[in-house]
Structure formats: structure tokens, C-alpha cells
Amino acid sequence: EVLPKSLAEERTNGKGRHEPNVFPILPSPEGRVDILKMMYNPIYMLKSLLGGELALKIGGGCACCLISVAFIACSIMFGPMFEILLQSTFGVLPSFLWHYILIGIVLSTV
């Protein structure tokens, strides 16, 4: 706003948003991205750059992929150990009991 010099001297104000911030009152900006927070929080960075909805979709996809990879890695690492454990535990049972055990497992999950 353009003012006469006498009125401008009467209504002193700071530069920008510095004090005194009265004529006119300048509010702090909203919706700015915090650069420091983006450096150490990748979820905040995704939400800031892509928006909330798209970041949620991408984050969910990444979580599904990571869970799948972790499951496959655990299956590869611990699968032989479980096989040995099952053979040593149930190896003493006669073969006809396996049918009853498998039917019981299937029925208990249903």
C-alpha cells in the first residue's frame, strides 16, 4: 500500500514479518515443506512431494513388497530347519496317521 511519508512514519512497521507486525498484520505462511524433516523422515518426504493419497498407495505397495521378500527370505533360511523338525517329530508316527493329522489341520483352519 502506498502511503504519504508522514503517515508511514506514524505507523511504523518491521520489515516483512518482523516486529512490530501491526500494519498490516502478516501471518506466517502455511503449507511450507520442512527441509530438515525431509532429510531424516522418508514418509514425510513422500507425503510432501506426492501428496497424501498417492504416497499412501506407494507406501502400501512398498510395504507389501517388503513383507513378501521377508517371507521368502525366512522360508529359504528356516525351511530346512522346519522340515528336519517335522521329520524328527512326526517320523515316529505310522503312515496311516498322517491322513488324520492333515484332515484335522484342514478342519481346524476352516
Side-chain angles (χ1 to χ4, degrees), residues 5-72:
K5 186 173 184 177
S6 60
L7 191 58
E9 288 173 356
E10 182 182 312
R11 299 178 181 176
T12 60
N13 204 3
K15 291 192 182 253
R17 287 184 288 281
H18 296 293
E19 293 297 328
N21 185 5
V22 289
F23 184 73
I25 296 176
L26 299 173
S28 297
E30 295 180 11
R32 295 240 174 132
V33 177
D34 185 10
I35 300 294
L36 184 63
K37 195 173 181 182
M38 284 179 75
M39 288 180 166
Y40 64 85
N41 190 348
I43 296 172
Y44 177 78
M45 181 174 62
L46 272 176
K47 284 177 80 174
S48 298
L49 296 176
L50 302 175
E53 188 176 328
L54 187 60
L56 185 63
K57 289 179 184 178
I58 290 176
C62 289
C64 286
C65 289
L66 286 175
I67 289 171
S68 299
V69 167
F71 178 75
I72 290 170

Side-chain angles (χ1 to χ4, degrees), residues 90-101:
F90 297 114
V92 294
L93 294 176
S95 61
F96 67 90
L97 287 179
W98 279 103
H99 296 94
Y100 296 113
I101 292 171

